[in-house]
Amino acid sequence: MSKSYHVKGMTNRTFANLSWIFLIIFGIGINGALSHAHDEVSATKELRSNEIDQGTDPIRLIPTNVVGVKNNSSIGGKLDGAALVKLTEAVVAATLKNETQRSYGGRSFGNGVSSIFASFTNALDLGRVVREIETSVMTSVSCTACKAGVGLLFHYVRSGRSNAEIAAAATKLCIKLKMQTPRVCEGIVNVYVGEVVEVLRLAILDSNEICAFIVGESCGSGTAPSMEWSVAFPPVPKPPLEIPSPQPNIETPILKVLQISDTHWDPLYEPGSNANCNEPLCCRLSSGPRPPRSHLGAGLWGDYRKCDTPRKTIESMFEHIANTHKDIDYILWTGDIPAHDVWNQSHATSLAMLRDTVDLFLQYFPHIPIFPALGNHEGAPVNSFAPPWVTDPTQSIDWLYTELQKEWSRWLPSTTLNTVREGAYYSTILSPGFKIISLNMNYCNNKNWWLLVNSTDPTDELKWLIFELQSSEFAQEKVHIIGHIPPGHSDCLQTWSKNYYTIISRFESTIKAQFFGHTHFDEMELFYPQEDPYRASSVAYVGPSVTPYYDLNPGYRIYYIDGDYPTSTRTVVDHETWVTDLGEANRIRAPELKWYKLYSAKEAYGLKSLSPIDWDNLIMSMYKDWKLFNSYYRFYYKNSPVAPPCDEDCRTRILCDIRSGKSHAREELCRPRPTNFRPSRDTFEVQKPPSRLTSFWSTISTAYEQIQNEI
């Protein structure tokens, strides 16, 4: 890995990996996942780095000869399978021995136990695993550590020990291996122990399948059969496409739409506090000693380091928006409310943050319709969203969905409340012929432990989505979809994402735009129909975060959408990103923040339209045009002065991210285009001849019409 290939230039989220803390503790190690915890900010989807001493395809950056550990014959090149099992059993025995239960601060372990931990750490090459977790550049080394972690977990669960004993053992191991501070180790273990133990008692997957679920392709090829499923479509053929797609008239009405995402409000933020602590979230009084000089501490308005958003920064943004954009028609709020102190959170703290943020929106935007979507951080524990069949009140998600039904009803009609209560998703009509669908993306989240038990459309959300889209197609309505986790991101389950991708392709004439958050960056994802793999058919816009976590400026997005008139296309005509210079504001201790328009898409890129095909043409141009790509990269980081440099590998990865509307499919979606392919709108004007099945149904339909006319 070259030095310019900075971990912050990657789009995975190590903080999201905290929901897999038990796997990380029992084998993978969380030194990087916790102390560098990038959450929604670090980033690759399934990239394999040049750090792997293997060949790579220069376009796809996927190793040509690294596919993960096929069996347990070699563990990290240091242990065979039998030796790993023996060592795993020794670790279990060491952490569950009565004499070690008297202290889990690491000081009561004898030399023999310490040597066991040392052997375990060395055998699994945890140092390298930590780096891979930080960057989400997973290889067979992480796969091996994952399998060791799962093995340890199964040992603990099947040992017959109580949750308290398992938690004590996990905490000891966390602290002994110096994965985190004692309070973080104890907090995160206690938050997850009940859920993890219950899920592993119910799961039918083995360690290979679980690690393929978590780590991805480098831990095995394909998805476990029990995790494969497909949605069913009604027997209605896909309508013919209008090619080229109709474009809005310049003189037609325009809707102005605001997107707010990933506020991550920290009510305990303290200016001047330690911003470089040894825990996942800093900039609090509890973050350790204050720096000797005030300018070295947490900034007045936020910080580029491991810190979330002060309330005053959110209020400054909202006040600026209310004063500058008085003509906003409606707001898209795409989730993630709480701060990143996930080891401290509870149902009560999560609900308090939800209520306070709703009140903040009502204070600044009292008369503007708001359409919310649920983030992964609203769960407590984070990423925990139990399916409906989990009825135990200590594990059920009813506590959150009941409150969402109440809070969201301030903006949503009563027709939405049943699905909000059942699954935190809904659809609503904005105006005749125009519908918004809000999805709960947490049932595609592979950090959601409950999906290890059963991931098959847990709340029938995709089944419902197809019904909604088919109804809209019949009614000739246009649809916008909103959610939190982008469907092409590696956090989204492969099977769920594949089904969603198929749905988008089937209803491409109906779905005119998609809007997501989660990554904290300013970016997008493109979709390509399977039957026409080089024709971009849909765009998912990924809005920037309010939080600066981390290395980012706070920002928000404004969209201009073809407005209310009978033949409206409802397409995105243009969009703008607005930011503030956090570093400068902190440096001069500004009494107020200055927000400014960073760019508009059409002006910055010289686009005639924001159609999927025009976006695709632009992205393909960036493979050859460094100046064009550098503009995109600057906007991607919201003009941050601490953005890392981006080399050729980095560029290739980011462009592949854009082309990946389906998760875990980079080899399919990012392959080089044919040499004779010339992407342009004209390329697709020639219609393909109808299939035999289409011709057959056309003949039947014609005959039926003739009979009806004769009658």
Side-chain angles (χ1 to χ4, degrees), residues 186-205:
E186 184 172 4
I188 201 68
V189 168
N190 288 336
V191 162
Y192 278 105
V193 63
E195 178 178 322
V196 170
V197 170
E198 180 65 15
V199 166
L200 291 183
R201 283 175 178 155
L202 296 172
I204 61 173
L205 303 178

Side-chain angles (χ1 to χ4, degrees), residues 24 47 280-281 287 303 337 353 439 587 592 621 630 653:
I24 298 171
L47 170 72
L281 184 66
S287 298
D303 207 278
I337 302 169
M353 293 301 298
L439 296 179
R587 186 183 65 81
E592 61 183 31
S621 297
N630 285 338
R653 172 194 55 75

